[in-house]
């Protein structure tokens, strides 16, 4: 059965009173005062969170600040900042990626880790749990962690302080017995449902599990039975990780943290070699790579590199990461050093060996793709652009600028045959004054930038109507003309609107210049 780990984290654990580590008791005059966080609710300042010293002396979230001060006059009060708490929990979740890539947020003070298949890397579930709690404790965090077969069972037990589970490990199939003594509120079914069940004499999850499900579903809804089955381990549901699962991962752990750039690049080089072998065995190449550097103090630094084509060329990837590190505006700060370096393939695509063509085009395409990758790393992906040709007759939409690294994959569909288009287009088209034959004749002369051009030759019209599925209300039809003046210069003009067939007076514009 898959094992999952739900940990409830508290930012203010032992430091508030020191009792957890055998330190100074809370009643000692040198002990710091109890700490509470307050927020305005129901037209009063109420406690949003309390530390262990305050909780031991009877304070709890929801109590008004006036009542709390009446009980404990010497009280340290800080305004509650939910945004800062959320950002802090995100940082802790980033650090927990060192244990498993499947990490999900659980409310505002908890995390759920899917450790299926990775507990053996840390000596088993019990050893992994102890190492995780010790790692959090070194950073001043108190946590309760429970390993169970379903995330709902682990969550309910962790938020109840571990229940009666020995050493925080629920034996396979033992979820029902472990959660039976917990209050029904641990199912997160809402206060109204909990109150209704309590009036019926059902106060624990075990009491609820002993009753037939049909009357309960009729009275309280199917959601109650679904949550009950998940807490009892009868139904498993996968967590939704906060970060997508990579295609493959390679990592290096260090007994002594590394801090020199040379050591970091060497570790990345080894990881690139490992990933190249993995991708080759899968017949794939990576399009997006992410290097994660886990600092000894819990901070995480990430560097992402994308390629224009699927790649598993170790030499090229090492060069890209070297240039990425050199061009960072904010250099990687190792702090006390990195104790874990991980390289992941975020996106992979099939890559089969290609035969080099006799004309050498395949080699040229590979060199262009490598150049695009290097420029994107140095200048930024959004600054290296190329034109994308679209299957449309609308000149305004016939081409677009997109990141060059994004244009990879199957070839574009063939473009329809169209009349010659100028190489230079104005965006937007420039208005001109034109004298033309009515209703659909070509211009005889036109004024552009205060210069009058006499038309010697003209070809057209080429009528281009707006695409009906994109056409805004009142968009006029365009009649395009290719004209040449007496000096031999060639222009691409159009009349917007049709005489007596569309509202408004038709206007003339210059859209492009022919070479």
């Amino acid at each position: 059965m898959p094992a999952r780990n739900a940990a409830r984290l508290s930012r203010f654990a032992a430091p508030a009173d020191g009792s957890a580590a055998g330190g100074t008791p809370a009643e000692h005059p040198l002990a710091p005062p109890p700490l509470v966080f307050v927020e305005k609710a129901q037209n009063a300042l109420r406690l949003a969170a309390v530390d262990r010293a305050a909780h031991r002396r009877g304070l709890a979230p929801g109590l008004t600040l006036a009542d709390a001060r009446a009980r404990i006059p010497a009280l340290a009060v800080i305004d509650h900042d939910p945004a800062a708490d959320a950002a802090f929990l995100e940082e802790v979740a980033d650090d927990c990626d060192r244990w498993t890539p499947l990490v999900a947020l659980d409310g505002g003070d908890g995390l759920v880790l899917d450790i299926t298949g990775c507990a053996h890397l840390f000596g088993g579930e019990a050893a992994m749990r102890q190492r995780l709690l010790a790692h959090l404790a070194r950073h001043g965090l108190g946590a309760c962690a429970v390993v169970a077969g379903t995330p709902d069972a682990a969550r309910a037990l962790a938020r109840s302080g571990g229940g009666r589970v020995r050493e925080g490990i629920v034996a396979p199939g033992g979820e029902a017995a472990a959660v039976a003594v917990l209050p029904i509120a641990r199912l997160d079914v809402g206060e109204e449902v909990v109150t209704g069940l309590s009036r019926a004499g059902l106060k624990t999850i075990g009491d609820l599990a002993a009753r037939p499900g049909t009357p309960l579903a009729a009275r309280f809804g199917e959601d109650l039975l679904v949550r009950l089955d998940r807490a009892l381990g009868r139904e498993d549901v996968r967590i939704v990780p906060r970060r997508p699962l990579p295609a493959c991962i390679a990592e290096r752990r260090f007994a002594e943290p590394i801090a020199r750039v040379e050591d970091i690049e060497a570790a990345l080089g080894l990881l690139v070699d490992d990933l190249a072998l993995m991708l080759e065995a899968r017949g794939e190449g990576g399009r997006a790579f992410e290097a994660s550097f886990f600092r000894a103090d819990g901070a995480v630094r990430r560097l992402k590199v994308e390629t224009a084509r699927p790649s598993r060329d170790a030499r090229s990837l090492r060069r890209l990461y070297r240039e990425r590190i050199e061009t960072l505006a904010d250099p990687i700060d190792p702090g006390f050093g990195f104790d874990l370096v991980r390289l992941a393939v975020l996106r992979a695509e099939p890559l089969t060996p290609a035969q080099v063509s006799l004309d050498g085009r395949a080699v040229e395409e590979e060199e262009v793709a490598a150049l695009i990758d290097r420029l994107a790393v140095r200048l930024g992906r959004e600054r290296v652009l190329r034109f994308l040709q679209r299957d449309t007759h609308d000149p305004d939409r016939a081409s677009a600028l997109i990141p060059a690294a994004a244009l990879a994959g199957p070839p574009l569909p063939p473009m329809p045959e169209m009349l010659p288009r100028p190489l230079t287009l104005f965006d937007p088209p420039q208005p001109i004054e034109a004298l033309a034959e009515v209703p659909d004749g070509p211009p005889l002369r036109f004024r552009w930038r205060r210069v009058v051009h006499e038309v010697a030759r003209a070809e057209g019209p080429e009528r281009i109507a707006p695409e009906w599925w994109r056409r805004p209300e009142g968009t006029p039809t365009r009649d395009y003309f290719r004209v040449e003046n007496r000096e031999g210069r060639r222009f691409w003009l159009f009349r917007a609107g049709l005489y007596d067939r569309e509202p408004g007076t038709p206007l003339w514009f210059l859209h492009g210049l022919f070479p």
Side-chain angles (χ1 to χ4, degrees), residues 132 242 292 411:
L132 187 148
R242 52 192 293 273
S292 302

Side-chain angles (χ1 to χ4, degrees), residues 145-270:
V146 175
V147 179
T150 63
D152 293 73
R155 179 187 298 111
L157 290 166
R159 292 189 177 278
S160 298
R164 299 179 182 176
V165 179
R166 185 177 181 182
E167 297 182 354
I169 306 293
V170 179
E175 286 78 17
V179 303
V181 298
L182 300 183
I184 294 177
R186 292 307 176 197
L187 296 178
D188 296 332
V189 291
E191 294 183 3
E192 295 182 359
V193 175
V194 173
T195 302
L197 292 172
S198 299
R199 291 174 179 173
L202 305 176
K203 297 183 178 181
T204 66
I205 295 178
D207 297 337
L208 191 62
R211 293 300 183 93
T214 303
L216 293 174
R219 173 65 178 84
F220 299 102
E222 292 288 342
D223 183 61
L224 175 63
L225 296 185
V226 171
R227 293 179 180 272
L228 178 63
D229 289 341
R230 292 176 179 176
L232 295 175
R234 299 171 181 172
E235 179 184 348
D236 189 14
V237 59
R238 301 297 179 183
I239 68 173
V240 180
R242 52 192 293 273
R243 295 172 57 84
L245 185 64
C248 51
I249 296 176
E251 64 181 32
R252 285 286 190 278
R253 297 178 181 271
F254 306 97
E256 293 293 335
I258 61 174
R260 298 194 312 156
V261 176
E262 296 80 3
D263 296 336
I264 296 173
E265 292 182 353
L268 272 179
L270 295 175

Side-chain angles (χ1 to χ4, degrees), residues 310-452:
S311 173
R312 56 174 180 256
D313 183 3
R315 181 179 178 183
S316 175
L317 293 175
R318 284 195 296 268
R319 182 175 64 247
L320 290 179
Y321 262 109
R322 190 183 309 114
E323 294 183 356
R324 181 77 173 89
I325 294 175
E326 291 176 354
T327 57
L328 286 176
D330 183 15
I332 298 179
D333 180 14
F336 293 103
F338 299 117
D339 56 3
L340 171 63
V341 179
R342 175 183 296 163
L343 185 60
V345 179
L346 301 183
R347 189 169 74 254
E349 296 178 0
L351 177 61
T352 56
Q355 182 178 0
V356 179
S357 58
L358 296 178
D359 59 1
R361 294 297 299 276
V363 176
E364 294 178 2
E365 293 174 0
E366 291 295 334
E367 292 178 351
V368 172
L371 176 61
I372 292 174
D373 295 340
R374 296 183 64 183
L375 292 176
V377 167
R378 287 184 172 273
L379 305 177
R381 184 174 182 271
E382 302 300 326
R383 296 183 178 181
V384 183
L385 308 176
R386 68 183 301 176
F387 283 100
L388 172 67
Q389 195 174 21
R390 292 172 173 168
D391 185 8
T392 177
H393 288 275
D394 187 351
D396 293 329
R397 298 187 61 256
S399 63
L401 282 172
I402 65 170
L407 193 58
L412 297 175
M415 292 293 297
E417 294 185 2
M418 294 185 297
L419 295 175
R421 296 285 188 260
L423 296 179
T424 303
L425 292 180
F426 294 108
D427 184 19
Q430 299 191 6
I432 60 174
E433 300 175 5
L435 176 64
E437 299 176 359
V438 178
D440 300 327
L444 303 178
R445 68 172 62 90
F446 64 93
R447 184 194 302 273
W448 175 49
R449 294 180 179 177
R450 300 182 181 180
V451 177
V452 176

Side-chain angles (χ1 to χ4, degrees), residues 93 102-106 110-114 239-242:
L102 298 178
V103 180
L105 300 179
D106 182 33
L111 299 174
V112 180
L113 282 66
D114 189 339
I239 68 173
V240 180
R242 52 192 293 273

